């Protein structure tokens, strides 16, 4: 029986020639990630067991990005705990607020050249599945898993089956990776890929930028998937060469076997997709733009590990240039990293945002999970480029989050209701 | 091991944001987390929950974030076991790792009512509704998972493994 991309990566990291769906394996890990929410409990476990040294200080990445810059005293204590642990363990990839390489974890790991095709990665954050965009196996775990892996360099996995997602056709203007993944989640539901891999393939991949692919894999978890993964192509290699000096790896072994087993194939014709909006309170509650009545809003958030990359900022600026945020609307833009922030500065995007009447925040996960920098009051509605719209996700339990791509979010800020760039005129 | 408890019932897709809202994640102290457990789904939960109660809920329980604070909050609130047709995978892992008993059973969700007294046998996976007299079979853990549980969770299992490799 042939293997999927995911199964090939898992087999290689478990020292096996073959692994089959349902099998339980122990895999060695290339990279481990923790943030300021999930690392402190991992440190508790690590230290309570008297483990003295992490297995490899170069393979652990610690990013205090959720409630940082510290939103209150308790958050400050959590960040301090991570900082002190990183210092004690001499962690190479600890990032401090303000450093150029710092930002939202899933924006910076690929951008800092820490992710390679074929890698096996875990992170104590559910959106760790983002890195599948680069052909890595990457998945979210909890703090105890992180603690044990920091000690041993390994973790256990149940080898997943897979759903093949075949992309064909060419994506249209104002449609992006966000709309592809919202469409898919809408089709299969929030548990449609539970315990399984989403393996993307097909000629349509060519028209998807790396930012699009990162957004798509980022939200694989929102349909329950263990991971999402793209094949390596020219776009991938170009992305890696720009970030990893001398990158030149043969990744042909990653190609799925012809007789690999897929539970089903879902075909998406990209040319037929419109901008999508996920209504409260599930990411699967997806509606095409134009198919619903006027929905007035109070706030717009553009950023996050889903849509906080330079390309996202450029798209937002293209819509907002020379326009004003509608009266009574708060628009908050969070470049995903200090590097993205600087690029926005150099490319004149920050002035466009400020002139339009937007708040521009330091990189943080803050508003996405109702932490800080844009918490919603009772009854308020927000269009957000983030990844979850559960009850109470961004604030009060009677607030509402509508998930959308960057251009819809930016246009909605100008309109004061949910709409697309077509509605604000050229 | 067999437990007996009163059922608190919820629907499908109970996510980690309602189990423990992120605004309380500035701590990992389990008692503090338990004080806000289920707050955005059922504000009365912390008032009504009694030690030994059992949550019976719909499919995809624990979907969303990787926060281990979710099973920790449920366990610290006194819940003895969660029964659902399916669990989100990170929540499933986290429950095993933190010692929250979970059992997959679709029929139990269909038939058991809020407030029923039920009995759960973890060895056999048999769930008995003591009010209706009905019996359901939940799926037992795979062998490897039982091994982790028997080693006193993942920490015990990792310790054992690290000792062997030295």
């Amino acid at each position: 029986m042939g293997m999927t991309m995911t199964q090939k990566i898992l087999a290689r990291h478990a020292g096996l020639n073959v692994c089959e769906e349902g099998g339980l394996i122990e895999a060695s890990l290339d990279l481990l990630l923790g943030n300021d929410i999930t690392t402190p409990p991992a440190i508790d476990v690590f230290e309570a067991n008297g483990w003295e040294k992490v297995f490899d200080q170069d393979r652990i990445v610690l990013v205090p990005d959720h409630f940082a810059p510290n939103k209150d005293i308790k958050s400050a204590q959590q960040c301090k705990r991570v900082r002190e642990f990183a210092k004690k363990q001499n962690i190479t990839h600890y990032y401090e607020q303000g450093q150029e390489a710092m930002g939202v974890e899933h924006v910076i790991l690929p951008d800092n050249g820490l992710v390679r095709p074929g890698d096996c990665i875990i992170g104590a954050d559910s959106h760790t599945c983002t890195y599948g965009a680069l052909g890595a196996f990457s998945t979210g775990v909890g703090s105890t898993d992180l603690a044990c892996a920091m000690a041993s360099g390994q973790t256990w996995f149940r080898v997943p089956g897979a759903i093949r997602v075949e992309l064909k056709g060419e994506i249209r203007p104002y449609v992006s990776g966000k709309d592809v993944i919202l469409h898919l989640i809408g089709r299969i539901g929030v548990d449609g890929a539970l315990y399984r891999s989403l393996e993307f393939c097909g000629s349509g991949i060519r028209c998807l930028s790396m930012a699009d692919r990162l957004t798509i894999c980022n939200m694989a978890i929102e349909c329950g998937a263990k991971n999402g993964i793209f094949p390596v192509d020219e776009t991938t290699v170009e992305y890696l060469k720009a970030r990893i000096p001398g990158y030149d790896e043969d990744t042909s072994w990653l190609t799925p076997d012809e007789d690999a087993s897929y539970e089903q194939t879902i075909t998406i014709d990209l040319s037929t997709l419109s901008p999508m909006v996920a209504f409260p309170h599930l990411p699967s509650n997806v509606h095409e733009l134009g198919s619903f009545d006027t929905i007035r809003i109070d706030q717009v958030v553009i950023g996050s590990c889903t849509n906080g990359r330079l390309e996202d900022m450029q798209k937002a600026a293209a819509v907002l240039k020379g326009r004003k945020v509608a009266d009574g609307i708060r628009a908050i833009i969070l470049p995903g990293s200090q590097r993205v922030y600087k690029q926005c500065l150099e490319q004149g995007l920050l002035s466009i945002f400020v002139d339009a009447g937007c708040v521009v925040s330091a990189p943080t996960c803050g508003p996405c999970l109702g932490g800080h920098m844009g918490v919603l009051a009772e009854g308020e509605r927000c269009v957000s480029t983030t990844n979850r719209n559960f009850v109470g996700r961004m604030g009060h339990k009677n607030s509402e989050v509508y998930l959308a791509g960057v251009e819809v979010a930016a246009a909605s800020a100008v309109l004061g209701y949910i709409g697309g760039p077509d509605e604000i005129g050229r | 091991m067999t437990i007996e408890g009163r059922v608190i019932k919820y629907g499908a897709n109970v996510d980690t944001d309602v189990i423990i809202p992120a605004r309380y994640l500035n701590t990992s102290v389990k008692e503090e987390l338990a004080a806000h457990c289920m707050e955005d789904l059922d504000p009365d939960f912390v008032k009504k929950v009694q030690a030994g109660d059992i949550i019976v809920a719909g499919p995809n329980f624990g979907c969303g974030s990787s926060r281990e604070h979710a099973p920790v909050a449920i366990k610290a609130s006194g819940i003895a076991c969660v029964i659902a047709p399916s669990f989100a995978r990170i929540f499933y892992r986290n429950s095993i790792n933190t010692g929250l008993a979970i059992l997959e059973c679709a029929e139990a969700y269909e038939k058991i009512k809020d407030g029923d007294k039920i009995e759960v046998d973890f060895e056999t996976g048999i769930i008995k509704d003591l009010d209706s007299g009905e019996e359901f079979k939940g799926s037992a853990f795979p062998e490897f998972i039982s091994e982790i549980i028997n080693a006193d969770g993942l920490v015990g299992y990792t310790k054992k493994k690290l000792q062997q490799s030295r």
Side-chain angles (χ1 to χ4, degrees):
Chain A
M1 173 77 84
M3 291 190 284
T4 64
M5 285 182 78
T6 299
Q7 290 164 355
K8 284 190 167 187
I9 296 171
L10 289 177
R12 187 175 265 225
H13 285 79
L16 302 168
N17 292 324
V18 183
C19 67
E20 279 182 27
E21 179 183 347
L24 289 149
I25 57 145
E26 301 227 48
S28 23
L29 300 165
D30 296 301
L31 210 62
L32 288 67
L33 165 71
N35 58 49
D36 52 311
I37 307 278
T38 58
T39 311
I43 299 170
D44 288 344
V45 172
F46 191 89
E47 293 184 341
N49 284 289
W51 292 330
E52 281 168 10
K53 282 299 290 174
V54 298
F55 84 106
D56 187 342
Q57 68 207 47
D58 296 333
R59 293 185 183 277
I60 294 165
V61 186
L62 299 177
V63 189
D65 58 354
H66 276 57
F67 290 167
N70 308 338
K71 84 178 179 86
D72 54 26
I73 295 169
K74 284 180 170 180
S75 306
Q77 293 294 124
Q78 295 195 136
C79 288
K80 186 182 175 194
R81 190 99 205 279
V82 179
R83 186 178 302 120
E84 287 176 351
F85 179 79
K87 195 170 177 198
K88 188 175 164 195
Q89 294 289 337
N90 212 9
I91 300 293
T92 313
H93 304 292
Y94 166 75
Y95 295 104
E96 194 57 82
Q97 291 286 319
Q99 289 175 346
E100 189 182 346
M102 175 55 172
V104 172
E105 50 194 350
H106 309 308
V107 174
I108 63 171
L109 265 67
D111 201 29
N112 290 344
L114 299 181
V115 177
R116 292 162 186 259
D119 276 358
C120 183
I121 302 172
I122 61 166
D125 187 282
S126 59
H127 295 109
T128 303
C129 50
T130 307
Y131 317 135
L134 290 160
F137 169 78
S138 192
T139 194
V141 297
S143 298
T144 302
D145 275 315
L146 174 64
C148 293
M150 285 199 298
S152 69
Q154 295 188 324
T155 199
W156 65 272
F157 295 112
R158 186 181 165 279
V159 178
I163 295 172
R164 178 162 52 190
V165 183
E166 191 187 1
L167 304 176
K168 60 177 195 181
E170 191 96 9
I171 209 157
R172 295 189 299 185
Y174 300 139
V175 179
S176 70
K178 184 63 163 279
D179 305 300
V180 177
I181 190 66
L182 286 178
H183 167 82
L184 179 61
I185 297 165
R187 248 166 96 169
I188 67 175
V190 286
D191 59 355
L194 196 58
Y195 297 115
R196 283 159 287 182
S197 306
L198 288 175
E199 297 215 356
F200 295 91
C201 67
S203 57
I205 289 176
R206 268 194 312 240
C207 71
L208 296 175
S209 67
M210 190 47 70
D212 282 324
R213 299 177 196 190
L214 289 160
T215 302
I216 290 171
C217 286
N218 175 271
M219 289 188 71
I221 177 73
E222 308 311 336
C223 50
K226 184 168 201 150
N227 67 311
I229 190 165
F230 273 83
V232 176
D233 68 2
E234 286 159 22
T235 304
T236 325
V237 173
E238 194 187 316
Y239 182 93
L240 291 163
K241 282 189 168 164
R243 287 160 180 83
I244 303 172
Y247 177 82
D248 179 28
E249 273 173 32
D250 178 14
T251 55
S252 52
W253 64 275
L254 261 172
T255 311
D257 290 325
E258 272 176 28
D259 58 344
S261 156
Y262 293 94
E263 189 178 298
Q264 58 167 318
T265 297
I266 295 170
T267 304
I268 299 175
D269 183 350
L270 300 176
S271 68
T272 64
L273 293 186
S274 303
M276 304 283 168
V277 181
F279 283 26
H281 289 286
L282 283 177
S284 58
N285 192 8
V286 172
H287 299 258
E288 271 187 21
L289 192 68
S291 70
F292 47 85
D293 291 336
T294 306
I295 299 170
R296 299 231 152 248
I297 56 168
D298 303 283
Q299 181 171 297
V300 168
V301 168
I302 298 174
S304 84
C305 62
T306 313
N307 282 114
R309 299 180 181 82
L310 179 63
E311 191 176 304
D312 298 311
M313 297 297 123
Q314 290 168 334
K315 284 181 178 174
V319 175
L320 291 168
K321 190 173 185 178
R323 297 197 170 87
K324 288 278 182 199
V325 171
D327 278 349
I329 307 296
R330 289 118 42 199
I332 302 165
I333 301 185
L334 304 98
S337 69
Q338 286 293 106
R339 189 175 295 131
V340 172
Y341 200 103
K342 193 179 171 193
Q343 287 163 332
C344 287
L345 179 69
E346 288 166 354
Q347 296 181 15
L349 312 185
L350 290 188
S351 343
I352 294 173
F353 298 150
V354 173
D355 288 344
C358 302
V359 173
V360 185
S361 156
T364 176
C365 306
C368 169
L369 72 167
H372 61 152
M373 286 305 301
V375 176
L376 298 175
E378 182 168 15
E380 288 191 330
R381 281 201 195 109
C382 179
V383 175
S384 182
T385 67
T386 54
N387 42 52
R388 292 200 173 120
N389 55 357
F390 298 148
V391 171
R393 173 71 181 181
M394 290 182 77
H396 196 280
K397 67 173 180 177
N398 296 328
S399 59
E400 294 183 346
V401 180
Y402 292 76
L403 303 175
V406 170
E407 284 149 328
V408 167
S412 302
V414 174
L415 294 164
Y417 58 87
I418 303 175
D422 288 337
E423 292 172 60
I424 54 176
R426 304 256 166 197
Chain B
M1 195 182 72
T2 304
I3 57 161
E4 199 184 296
R6 187 183 52 127
V7 168
I8 300 177
K9 199 169 174 190
Y10 296 115
N13 303 312
V14 174
D15 63 77
T16 53
D17 277 296
V18 295
I19 296 173
I20 181 70
R23 57 185 177 274
Y24 302 118
L25 297 184
N26 55 6
T27 178
S28 51
V29 176
K30 60 184 183 191
E31 292 77 15
E32 287 184 48
L33 297 172
H36 300 289
C37 191
M38 297 291 177
E39 192 170 286
D40 286 354
L41 177 68
D42 178 4
D44 294 330
F45 175 81
V46 290
K47 281 178 248 161
K48 71 184 179 197
V49 67
Q50 286 167 22
D53 284 355
I54 295 167
I55 290 178
V56 175
N60 202 29
F61 188 90
C63 61
S65 146
S66 71
R67 64 189 72 154
E68 206 165 274
H69 313 62
V72 167
I74 292 175
K75 195 182 171 195
S77 72
I79 292 292
C81 174
V82 183
I83 300 170
S86 62
F87 292 87
R89 60 160 286 277
I90 307 178
F91 185 90
Y92 185 91
R93 266 184 102 102
N94 286 345
S95 299
I96 292 161
N97 291 346
T98 57
L100 171 69
I102 53 173
L103 206 58
E104 290 183 338
C105 183
E107 223 190 336
Y109 172 61
E110 284 163 31
K111 306 262 176 77
I112 294 174
K113 291 192 283 295
D114 189 61
D116 282 3
K117 269 245 173 205
I118 64 170
E119 188 185 277
V120 183
D121 183 333
F122 289 109
E123 312 268 289
T124 59
I126 299 219
I127 303 159
K128 258 190 224 163
D129 188 324
L130 302 174
D131 285 322
S132 70
E134 283 183 290
E135 242 184 60
F136 317 103
K137 178 94 172 72
S139 46
F141 286 123
E143 199 179 329
F144 177 79
I145 306 287
S146 300
E147 217 176 291
I148 291 179
I149 294 168
N150 292 337
D152 203 19
L154 184 66
V155 172
Y157 178 81
T158 306
K159 269 176 147 172
K160 220 166 82 184
K161 209 174 60 184
L162 286 171
Q163 273 159 12
Q164 283 164 359
S165 65
R166 284 204 177 115

